Short mmCIF file of all heavy atoms in Angstrom, two decimals:
data_model
loop_
_atom_site.label_atom_id
_atom_site.label_comp_id
_atom_site.label_asym_id
_atom_site.label_seq_id
_atom_site.Cartn_x
_atom_site.Cartn_y
_atom_site.Cartn_z
N GLU A 48 -14.35 81.56 80.18
CA GLU A 48 -15.36 81.54 81.24
C GLU A 48 -14.73 80.99 82.53
O GLU A 48 -14.74 79.77 82.77
CB GLU A 48 -16.59 80.74 80.80
CG GLU A 48 -17.82 80.98 81.63
CD GLU A 48 -17.94 80.00 82.79
OE1 GLU A 48 -18.30 78.84 82.55
OE2 GLU A 48 -17.67 80.41 83.95
N ALA A 51 -13.81 77.30 83.37
CA ALA A 51 -14.44 76.33 82.46
C ALA A 51 -13.51 76.00 81.29
O ALA A 51 -12.62 76.77 80.96
CB ALA A 51 -15.75 76.88 81.93
N GLY A 52 -13.77 74.86 80.67
CA GLY A 52 -13.17 74.55 79.38
C GLY A 52 -11.91 73.72 79.44
O GLY A 52 -11.15 73.75 80.41
N HIS A 53 -11.72 72.95 78.37
CA HIS A 53 -10.53 72.12 78.25
C HIS A 53 -9.98 72.19 76.84
O HIS A 53 -10.73 72.30 75.87
CB HIS A 53 -10.84 70.66 78.58
CG HIS A 53 -10.85 70.37 80.04
ND1 HIS A 53 -11.98 70.49 80.81
CD2 HIS A 53 -9.86 70.01 80.89
CE1 HIS A 53 -11.70 70.19 82.06
NE2 HIS A 53 -10.41 69.90 82.14
N ALA A 99 -16.06 66.42 82.90
CA ALA A 99 -16.46 66.87 81.56
C ALA A 99 -15.40 66.55 80.51
O ALA A 99 -15.65 66.71 79.31
CB ALA A 99 -16.74 68.37 81.57
N LEU A 102 -16.12 64.18 77.10
CA LEU A 102 -16.45 64.57 75.72
C LEU A 102 -15.20 64.54 74.85
O LEU A 102 -15.21 64.06 73.71
CB LEU A 102 -17.07 65.97 75.70
CG LEU A 102 -17.26 66.58 74.32
CD1 LEU A 102 -18.38 65.87 73.56
CD2 LEU A 102 -17.56 68.07 74.41
N HIS A 103 -14.11 65.07 75.39
CA HIS A 103 -12.85 65.11 74.64
C HIS A 103 -12.34 63.70 74.37
O HIS A 103 -11.92 63.39 73.25
CB HIS A 103 -11.80 65.89 75.44
CG HIS A 103 -12.12 67.33 75.61
ND1 HIS A 103 -11.35 68.34 75.08
CD2 HIS A 103 -13.12 67.95 76.29
CE1 HIS A 103 -11.87 69.51 75.42
NE2 HIS A 103 -12.94 69.30 76.15
N HIS A 118 -13.09 73.01 74.04
CA HIS A 118 -14.46 73.40 74.42
C HIS A 118 -14.39 74.47 75.50
O HIS A 118 -13.55 74.42 76.40
CB HIS A 118 -15.23 72.19 74.95
CG HIS A 118 -16.50 72.57 75.67
ND1 HIS A 118 -17.54 73.22 75.05
CD2 HIS A 118 -16.88 72.41 76.96
CE1 HIS A 118 -18.51 73.44 75.93
NE2 HIS A 118 -18.14 72.96 77.11
N ASN A 119 -15.29 75.45 75.39
CA ASN A 119 -15.44 76.43 76.45
C ASN A 119 -16.81 77.07 76.34
O ASN A 119 -17.55 76.81 75.38
CB ASN A 119 -14.32 77.48 76.41
CG ASN A 119 -14.01 78.07 77.78
OD1 ASN A 119 -14.92 78.34 78.58
ND2 ASN A 119 -12.73 78.25 78.09
N HIS A 120 -17.15 77.87 77.32
CA HIS A 120 -18.39 78.65 77.32
C HIS A 120 -17.99 80.04 76.86
O HIS A 120 -17.45 80.83 77.61
CB HIS A 120 -18.99 78.64 78.73
CG HIS A 120 -19.07 77.27 79.29
ND1 HIS A 120 -18.97 76.98 80.63
CD2 HIS A 120 -19.18 76.07 78.65
CE1 HIS A 120 -19.05 75.68 80.81
NE2 HIS A 120 -19.18 75.10 79.62
N TYR A 154 -29.78 70.00 74.02
CA TYR A 154 -29.18 70.18 75.34
C TYR A 154 -29.84 69.27 76.37
O TYR A 154 -31.05 69.26 76.51
CB TYR A 154 -29.34 71.64 75.79
CG TYR A 154 -28.54 71.96 77.02
CD1 TYR A 154 -27.19 72.22 76.95
CD2 TYR A 154 -29.16 71.98 78.27
CE1 TYR A 154 -26.45 72.51 78.07
CE2 TYR A 154 -28.44 72.27 79.41
CZ TYR A 154 -27.08 72.53 79.30
OH TYR A 154 -26.35 72.81 80.42
N GLY A 156 -27.99 68.68 79.54
CA GLY A 156 -27.28 68.81 80.81
C GLY A 156 -25.83 69.11 80.55
O GLY A 156 -25.46 69.53 79.47
N THR A 157 -25.00 68.90 81.53
CA THR A 157 -23.59 69.18 81.35
C THR A 157 -22.89 67.94 80.79
O THR A 157 -23.44 66.84 80.80
CB THR A 157 -22.92 69.55 82.68
OG1 THR A 157 -22.88 68.36 83.49
CG2 THR A 157 -23.69 70.64 83.39
N PHE A 158 -21.68 68.13 80.34
CA PHE A 158 -20.94 67.03 79.74
C PHE A 158 -20.31 66.11 80.79
O PHE A 158 -19.53 65.24 80.46
CB PHE A 158 -19.88 67.57 78.79
CG PHE A 158 -20.46 68.07 77.51
CD1 PHE A 158 -19.80 69.03 76.76
CD2 PHE A 158 -21.67 67.59 77.04
CE1 PHE A 158 -20.33 69.49 75.58
CE2 PHE A 158 -22.21 68.04 75.85
CZ PHE A 158 -21.54 69.00 75.12
N GLU A 159 -20.69 66.31 82.06
CA GLU A 159 -20.23 65.35 83.06
C GLU A 159 -20.95 64.02 82.89
O GLU A 159 -20.49 62.98 83.35
CB GLU A 159 -20.48 65.90 84.47
CG GLU A 159 -19.52 67.04 84.79
CD GLU A 159 -20.05 67.94 85.89
OE1 GLU A 159 -20.79 67.44 86.73
OE2 GLU A 159 -19.70 69.13 85.88
N LEU A 179 -22.88 74.99 70.50
CA LEU A 179 -23.62 74.13 71.42
C LEU A 179 -24.70 74.98 72.08
O LEU A 179 -24.39 75.88 72.87
CB LEU A 179 -22.68 73.54 72.48
CG LEU A 179 -21.45 72.80 71.95
CD1 LEU A 179 -20.58 72.34 73.12
CD2 LEU A 179 -21.84 71.63 71.07
N HIS A 182 -25.01 76.71 75.68
CA HIS A 182 -23.84 76.12 76.33
C HIS A 182 -22.54 76.82 75.94
O HIS A 182 -21.90 77.45 76.76
CB HIS A 182 -23.79 74.62 76.00
CG HIS A 182 -22.78 73.85 76.75
ND1 HIS A 182 -22.76 72.48 76.81
CD2 HIS A 182 -21.72 74.26 77.48
CE1 HIS A 182 -21.75 72.08 77.56
NE2 HIS A 182 -21.10 73.14 77.96
N GLY A 183 -22.16 76.75 74.68
CA GLY A 183 -20.87 77.33 74.27
C GLY A 183 -20.49 76.86 72.89
O GLY A 183 -21.32 76.81 72.00
N ALA A 184 -19.23 76.49 72.73
CA ALA A 184 -18.75 76.08 71.41
C ALA A 184 -17.74 74.95 71.55
O ALA A 184 -17.16 74.73 72.61
CB ALA A 184 -18.12 77.27 70.68
ZN1 ZN B 1 -19.18 73.13 78.90
#
Side-chain angles (χ1 to χ4, degrees):
E48 197 268 284
H53 278 90
L102 171 71
H103 294 244
H118 165 62
N119 208 320
H120 311 149
Y154 190 80
T157 70
F158 286 155
E159 288 158 29
L179 306 177
H182 189 166

